[in-house]
Amino acid sequence: MTVIEHRQSEKRRLILQAARGCFVRHGFHSTGMAELCRAAGMSPGNLYRYFPSKASIILAMVDEAREQALQEYERLEETADPREAIVRILLRCVRQLSDSDESRLWIEILAEASRNDEIRQSCLLFDRELCGTLRRFLDAGMETGRIALQADVEGTILNLMALIDGAIVRAATDPGANMKAYGTAFEQ
């Protein structure tokens, strides 16, 4: 990476960090580009060089989260126990999203995905990749006898995804929720 590319990457990271804070505090639609510029410490013209719209900022956030998750899932492919891999995926999601700011951000992203087709497609891609990973581990576990599945695979995947979605909503809306205890109980 050249010095210029490194600087550009660092600027993008700072803009995304500033936007996260703004979106968590005020929501996506209540955050104006002027506020984003102030939080990022740059002029509108400079910010627009990196992100042409607020939607492009959300797309970058989803892409960043997807890339990080996929790297983790690839490392889990070498796990001998598929059941352990599934638990680790779910715990990773619950622990990451148990931070109320992170979960509020994802509520904003998912709400915008219901209105913006480009963001919806990006979120669905992330969702399909996670479901595919879960499917591979479920199949491997059933083949080796480590997972005895009473329900169909698709229904099981839907339930596992609902656990993640529920953790997002619980952490975002219930200030008294003990998400650490939830993760510990789930792991057990």
Side-chain angles (χ1 to χ4, degrees):
M1 182 181 286
T2 68
V3 172
I4 292 173
E5 290 170 334
H6 179 71
R7 264 192 245 143
Q8 289 174 333
S9 176
E10 183 61 18
K11 283 281 193 188
R12 284 180 57 87
R13 188 189 67 72
L14 290 172
I15 293 168
L16 291 173
Q17 182 179 2
R20 279 182 183 91
C22 291
F23 295 161
V24 165
R25 280 189 303 280
H26 307 293
F28 180 74
H29 286 283
S30 294
T31 299
M33 289 303 277
E35 183 177 354
L36 286 173
C37 291
R38 259 192 318 281
M42 60 179 51
S43 69
N46 198 15
L47 188 133
Y48 282 116
R49 287 180 48 218
Y50 295 94
F51 296 101
S53 65
K54 285 193 298 182
S56 67
I57 293 172
I58 284 186
L59 285 168
M61 289 176 181
V62 173
D63 287 343
E64 181 181 86
R66 194 175 104 255
E67 286 175 27
Q68 290 171 357
L70 290 176
Q71 288 173 5
E72 176 74 20
Y73 304 157
E74 285 175 17
R75 286 191 293 273
L76 288 174
E77 294 289 341
E78 297 172 18
T79 302
D81 184 355
R83 192 173 51 184
E84 175 67 21
I86 291 169
V87 169
R88 286 176 54 190
I89 288 170
L90 295 174
L91 286 174
R92 177 193 183 277
C93 293
V94 168
R95 285 183 179 132
Q96 180 181 9
L97 297 169
S98 67
D99 174 88
S100 61
D101 285 351
E102 189 70 17
S103 60
R104 282 197 300 271
L105 176 65
W106 278 97
I107 292 281
E108 286 294 323
I109 290 171
L110 294 172
E112 193 56 26
S114 73
R115 296 181 284 269
N116 180 308
D117 191 54
E118 190 176 13
I119 294 171
R120 178 179 23 261
Q121 293 308 316
S122 183
C123 287
L124 286 173
L125 174 63
F126 191 179
D127 191 75
R128 282 190 297 272
E129 289 169 338
L130 175 53
C131 288
T133 299
L134 292 170
R135 184 175 293 106
R136 283 192 305 278
F137 286 125
L138 283 169
D139 288 343
M142 290 185 303
E143 285 175 21
T144 62
R146 294 289 297 153
I147 296 175
L149 198 56
Q150 303 300 320
D152 66 288
V153 173
E154 294 305 315
T156 300
I157 291 169
L158 183 61
N159 279 299
L160 294 173
M161 295 299 288
L163 285 170
I164 297 167
D165 294 341
I168 293 171
V169 173
R170 177 65 54 192
T173 60
D174 183 357
N178 184 343
M179 297 307 290
K180 185 175 182 175
Y182 174 79
T184 302
F186 181 79
E187 186 173 16
Q188 293 169 350

